[in-house]
Amino acid sequence: MSEKSGMIKDALILFAITVVAGLLLGVVYDVTKEPIARQKASAKQEASAEVFAAAESFQTLTDDEGAAVSAETDGVSIDEVQQALDSDGELLGYVITVTDHDGYGGDIQFSMGVTLDGVLNGISLLSISETAGLGMKAGDVLVPQFEDKRAESFSYTKSGAQGENEIDAISGATITTSAVVDGVNAGLKYFREQIIAYDEGGASIEK
């Protein structure tokens, strides 16, 4: 077999392998995409119930075109807003899902529950990939500090929280702490400036 023929044969084999691998990846994607979507939806529902335990159901807010409300606030993504409703369908407050893009390991996504009078029930982490033993302590160190707090915005401290609006930083993980605090502040700002204004005035929520 000539060198040229050998090269053609190798190229055809490589092409066939690439095609087969692509087909297999497509099959795997089709098989797994629905279970993954269901898992994400279930996690989001659990997070909503965690940050708004008094609610019996949740209804996603949509814009005039029927799409889920989303926005950017101070560099933080507002991914979704849900109304928290009681057993009679009365509005209790909102669950806001946000993503801060400035975590040490990338995006940090969480849901936060806010009552109509502006009390932050708490936050529930949905996605985080920070450093083990440092930023990954966010669930144990940061999350409990946001429970049942009323503040226009929060700040973090390394010397011990003194006020309602101060959060103790994770030791050795200032970037993670800052990302979570900034995400919460963006969610609260969106709540004040867009959601409440929408409910009171009936105008469309700005995306």
Side-chain angles (χ1 to χ4, degrees):
M1 180 183 295
S2 68
E3 182 178 349
K4 184 176 180 180
S5 298
M7 291 177 63
I8 293 174
K9 180 180 179 181
D10 290 344
L12 289 173
I13 292 173
L14 182 59
F15 174 74
I17 291 173
T18 302
V19 170
V20 171
L23 290 172
L24 289 175
L25 285 174
V27 170
V28 170
Y29 173 75
D30 287 338
V31 170
T32 59
K33 68 177 181 179
E34 288 190 13
I36 290 174
R38 286 197 299 269
Q39 184 177 9
K40 287 183 177 180
S42 176
K44 187 181 297 183
Q45 188 71 14
E46 289 176 8
S48 297
E50 184 177 337
V51 299
F52 225 117
E56 288 293 326
S57 63
F58 301 93
Q59 182 173 313
T60 301
L61 278 184
T62 57
D63 60 20
D64 292 338
E65 299 174 354
V69 167
S70 62
E72 289 287 326
T73 299
D74 295 339
V76 174
S77 296
I78 307 298
D79 302 320
E80 185 180 72
V81 179
Q82 292 179 299
Q83 292 180 322
L85 309 173
D86 66 13
S87 57
D88 296 321
E90 294 295 320
L91 182 63
L92 300 175
Y94 296 87
V95 174
I96 307 168
T97 299
V98 306
T99 299
D100 189 288
H101 307 288
D102 294 327
Y104 187 82
D107 290 351
I108 299 177
Q109 185 184 53
F110 57 87
S111 292
M112 50 190 287
V114 187
T115 65
L116 292 177
D117 56 356
V119 174
L120 178 62
N121 289 336
I123 69 173
S124 179
L125 296 173
L126 290 169
S127 177
I128 183 170
S129 300
E130 302 296 271
T131 305
L134 294 173
M136 288 304 287
K137 291 181 178 179
D140 295 325
V141 178
L142 298 181
V143 170
Q145 296 187 68
F146 289 103
E147 293 178 4
D148 300 322
K149 294 289 183 70
R150 184 197 295 273
E152 185 168 307
S153 64
F154 291 88
S155 60
Y156 66 88
T157 176
K158 299 179 182 179
S159 56
Q162 299 295 319
E164 184 86 351
N165 67 331
E166 288 189 324
I167 300 297
D168 283 322
I170 303 172
S171 178
T174 303
I175 294 176
T176 303
T177 302
S178 178
V180 173
V181 170
D182 288 348
V184 170
N185 287 341
L188 289 174
K189 181 178 180 180
Y190 190 76
F191 168 77
R192 292 192 309 272
E193 296 183 358
Q194 295 295 335
I195 299 175
I196 292 301
Y198 167 81
D199 269 345
E200 291 179 349
S204 299
I205 290 181
E206 294 181 10
K207 296 186 71 178

